[in-house]
Amino acid sequence: MTYPIAEFCADLGDVPHATDAMTIRKKSRDQFAVSPLLRQSLAGRVADVVASPRSKDDVLTIIKAAVKHRIPLTARGGGTANYGQSVPLQGGILLDMTGLSGIVSINEGNVRALSGTCMADIDVAAREKGWEMRIHPSTRSVSSIAGFVAGGSGGMGSCQWGMLRDRGNITAMEVVSVEAEPRFVELRGRDVELVHHAYGTNAIITEVEMPTTPAWTWKEVIVAFPEFLVASRFGVQLASEPAITKKLISLQEWPVARLMTALGDIVPDGHTMVNCMIAAPTMDAFKGLVDDFGGSIVHESLEGQGFYGAPIYEFAYGHGLRQIQKSQPTYTGLQGMFPAQDLLPTIERVHAAWGGTAPLRMEVFLSQGEVVTMGSPGIVYENEAQMAAIVAKLQSFGVKVANSHTTGVREVGIKQFDDRDAVFKRSMDPHKLLNPGKLDFDDIPASDSRSSLPTQGWSFRKAG
């Protein structure tokens, strides 16, 4: 589709923007290349222009020009998403929000920041006042706060505080509509769910407020277990221990420790590793739990000071897959939610089904106050039919699989919808300009960027 880009740029005044091929190519990508399916379906999808607001006034100028010329807008933060959330499927304007950054306020128990503020910078500012973020992504050094809440579902701290969707983990958001006269709207309470994990398809986020917790000195610990199932029982029990303060519980079955080459040979052959972050004052209790389950601590260091050259959380969640792909480029995985009900038996059934032929990777965290795990067997990718068969097999064991190899909000299957969502989308984006192709409530054909994996998506208990 051809858009009047020259006319749009003329209406921007002094708002920074770029139309050179190198900038457009760089800003039109995120980390979707971790998926072999998205590498194919998103190839060649690029914007026509990159606009980089420095202020809310700049945001308004860009929106008004986009609406005037009916050009799609796709917002981007640090570009760390794994599903192509910020890839412009229909070209148009790539809205680089990283210039809209800065701390708005730090108060007792919460921090508010402009949307493009880097998560690491927020933590530095909060720690100066004795606080830290409850939850942050494995990509903290690059991810923006709005990118995290718009594209993420949880991360470091979720084993203590739950998922982002759990009540109280996102306090408020300021968003702006995309119409001729844009409106700023403050969302609080359950209304933040409307924009959380919606990939910027229904509003442009300008500010985010999130809760903080008293800052801790964190220890990175790698624990080795001879048996995966013992390691999984340990991880589930650790998540259930309220008095052991933790930020990460990440299970990696052998030989994942060797595939993550930065870890060297610290984990003994044949052992499952459990990577943890534990608050220093609770280390004695943690070590007692390790002893109870027959594990061995093979490494302990302060946060970010391990011999492996990066914080331990960069070996977990989606970042962990990137570590593996450095030595095994065809390796991939699925986002299977192992539900709290029948959790350990489900893990045992899945483990038995693959019989050690595909190592399990799992993150342990809380969802709606209960311990769950998220992960799958490791997959050396062959084709989509192979992936579909693994999805079907996992779901036959009761695992709820989200589709991390597609770009549509509903097709991924993590965000939950109710009657408010369509009303909000139509109110805030009446011209359907926001990140088109990823969320539409009208009866239209699915975008050809979406895979056909037979995933059922994640499910959560309804309140009441």
Side-chain angles (χ1 to χ4, degrees), residues 109-126:
N110 69 72
V111 61
R112 190 173 178 111
L114 294 171
S115 60
T117 313
C118 178
M119 294 291 290
D121 293 341
I122 296 172
D123 246 348
V124 169

Side-chain angles (χ1 to χ4, degrees), residues 159-160 217-225 230-231 233-251 272-301 312 364:
C159 58
Q160 187 81 26
T217 296
W218 292 100
K219 289 293 191 76
E220 298 183 354
V221 189
I222 301 176
V223 187
F225 290 89
V230 175
R233 289 195 289 272
F234 165 79
V236 170
Q237 184 59 42
L238 175 57
S240 304
E241 297 281 347
I244 300 178
T245 304
K246 55 268 180 190
K247 186 181 275 192
L248 173 67
I249 309 171
S250 183
L251 280 68
T272 290
M273 70 176 176
V274 184
N275 296 338
C276 303
M277 291 184 71
I278 306 295
T282 62
M283 275 296 294
D284 287 343
F286 172 79
K287 289 177 179 179
L289 188 64
V290 171
D291 289 343
D292 287 347
F293 280 83
S296 301
I297 294 177
V298 297
H299 174 77
E300 176 184 338
S301 66
I312 195 68
V364 186

Side-chain angles (χ1 to χ4, degrees), residues 78 118 190 263 278 322 379 437:
C118 178
R190 69 189 297 257
L263 298 178
I278 306 295
R322 292 183 223 168
I379 302 165

Side-chain angles (χ1 to χ4, degrees), residues 5 37 42 139 177 185 195 220 232 238 304 331 347 356 396 411:
I5 300 300
L37 298 177
L42 295 181
T139 53
S177 63
V185 178
V195 175
E220 298 183 354
S232 65
L238 175 57
Y331 196 98
I347 293 173
S396 73
E411 289 73 20

Side-chain angles (χ1 to χ4, degrees), residues 101 103 106 116-128 140-141 143:
S101 64
I103 304 296
I106 299 175
T117 313
C118 178
M119 294 291 290
D121 293 341
I122 296 172
D123 246 348
V124 169
R127 277 185 167 270
E128 290 176 354
R140 178 172 68 172
S141 64
S143 176

